């Protein structure tokens, strides 16, 4: 009897070991300043069949930008962490393993609401694919802010899109991210 139980246990163990891995669950998080970030985020979510989460603040961050050029005090307010996020943590945050992160650049760094989101969430164990509007170099320059100068792990190089990217440009980038995820899974 114990031999039969042992064989069934072995068969069950083999079935569990050979079953496909649980697929990654993706979330598209974005903050937009009347730019194309919201449109890109919507297309990414649609193409990936992923959930979408918009970062919203208690104060109108964009209104602060209406007074350009800004003086030092106004720039300080833009960089302030006095902003509060309406919903700091997305629903079911712990169930997502892949995050596509859209952000605008404001005065040489990701807009403060984007940075607040990163500061207020547990980022461990997630793979990050950031995107913004700008050149490849401008997007790359943002990586130091996003990964907190290397202290945060799991970040891929940011994608800089043109101001009005085509759906095919966005799809091409999504295909690249899928290849990155597959390569990471295979290694």
């Amino acid at each position: 009897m114990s031999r039969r139980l042992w064989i069934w246990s072995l068969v069950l163990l083999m079935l569990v070991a050979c079953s496909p891995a649980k697929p990654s669950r993706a979330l598209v998080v974005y903050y937009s300043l009347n730019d194309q970030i919201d449109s890109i985020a919507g297309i990414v979510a649609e193409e990936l069949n992923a959930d979408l989460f918009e970062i919203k603040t208690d104060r109108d961050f964009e209104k602060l930008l209406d007074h350009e050029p800004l003086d030092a005090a106004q720039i300080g307010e833009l960089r302030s962490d006095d902003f509060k996020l309406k919903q700091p943590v997305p629903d079911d945050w712990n169930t997502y393993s892949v995050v596509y992160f859209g952000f605008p650049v404001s005065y040489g760094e990701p807009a403060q609401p984007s940075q607040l989101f990163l500061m207020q969430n547990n980022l461990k164990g997630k793979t990050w694919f950031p995107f913004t509007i700008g050149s490849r170099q401008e997007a790359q320059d943002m990586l130091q802010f996003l990964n907190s100068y290397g202290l945060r792990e799991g970040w891929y190089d940011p994608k800089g899109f043109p101001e009005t990217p085509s759906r095919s440009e966005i799809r091409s980038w999504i295909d690249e991210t899928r290849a990155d995820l597959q390569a990471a899974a295979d290694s």
Side-chain angles (χ1 to χ4, degrees):
M1 182 71 171
S2 66
R3 181 174 169 88
R4 187 175 285 184
L5 180 60
W6 183 83
I7 291 173
W8 279 111
S9 297
L10 184 61
V11 168
L12 181 61
L13 180 64
M14 289 173 51
L15 286 173
V16 168
C18 295
S19 64
K22 186 177 177 183
S24 299
R25 187 164 178 216
L27 175 67
V28 180
V29 174
Y30 73 96
Y31 181 75
S32 186
L33 289 172
N34 282 337
D35 48 23
Q36 291 297 312
I37 298 293
D38 55 347
S39 299
I40 296 168
I43 293 170
V44 171
E46 180 183 321
E47 292 288 326
L48 293 169
N49 194 26
D51 295 328
L52 192 61
F53 179 83
E54 181 181 7
I55 299 169
K56 296 179 183 177
T57 59
D58 63 342
R59 294 187 301 158
D60 190 355
F61 180 83
E62 189 173 350
K63 194 171 189 172
L64 292 173
L65 298 172
D66 288 345
H67 307 294
E68 293 193 57
L70 301 177
D71 61 31
Q74 291 167 319
I75 291 173
E77 189 174 356
L78 283 175
R79 292 184 171 157
S80 165
D81 58 3
D82 288 345
F83 286 94
K84 303 291 183 247
L85 301 181
K86 287 186 177 180
Q87 182 181 356
V89 181
D91 295 336
D92 302 322
W93 177 243
N94 292 330
T95 65
Y96 298 103
S97 56
V98 178
V99 180
Y100 290 79
F101 188 71
F103 63 94
V105 175
S106 175
Y107 287 86
E109 60 187 56
Q112 189 64 14
S114 306
Q115 293 188 56
L116 285 174
F117 176 85
L118 297 175
M119 289 187 274
Q120 294 180 12
N121 281 287
N122 179 358
L123 310 180
K124 292 183 180 177
K126 298 189 186 317
T127 301
W128 293 84
F129 292 104
F131 61 92
T132 191
I133 304 292
S135 71
R136 182 171 191 226
Q137 186 59 50
E138 289 169 320
Q140 191 63 37
D141 291 345
M142 294 301 104
L143 188 58
Q144 66 182 341
F145 294 102
L146 298 173
N147 73 10
S148 196
Y149 297 91
L151 297 175
R152 297 178 184 144
E153 297 177 358
W155 289 84
Y156 280 80
D157 287 342
K159 172 66 175 173
F161 285 104
E163 285 192 32
T164 54
S166 67
R167 186 174 276 270
S168 65
E169 287 174 297
I170 297 168
R171 276 190 193 134
S172 176
W173 176 65
I174 290 170
D175 290 342
E176 290 172 23
T177 67
R178 285 178 172 148
D180 289 337
L181 288 170
Q182 186 60 51
D186 290 345
S187 62

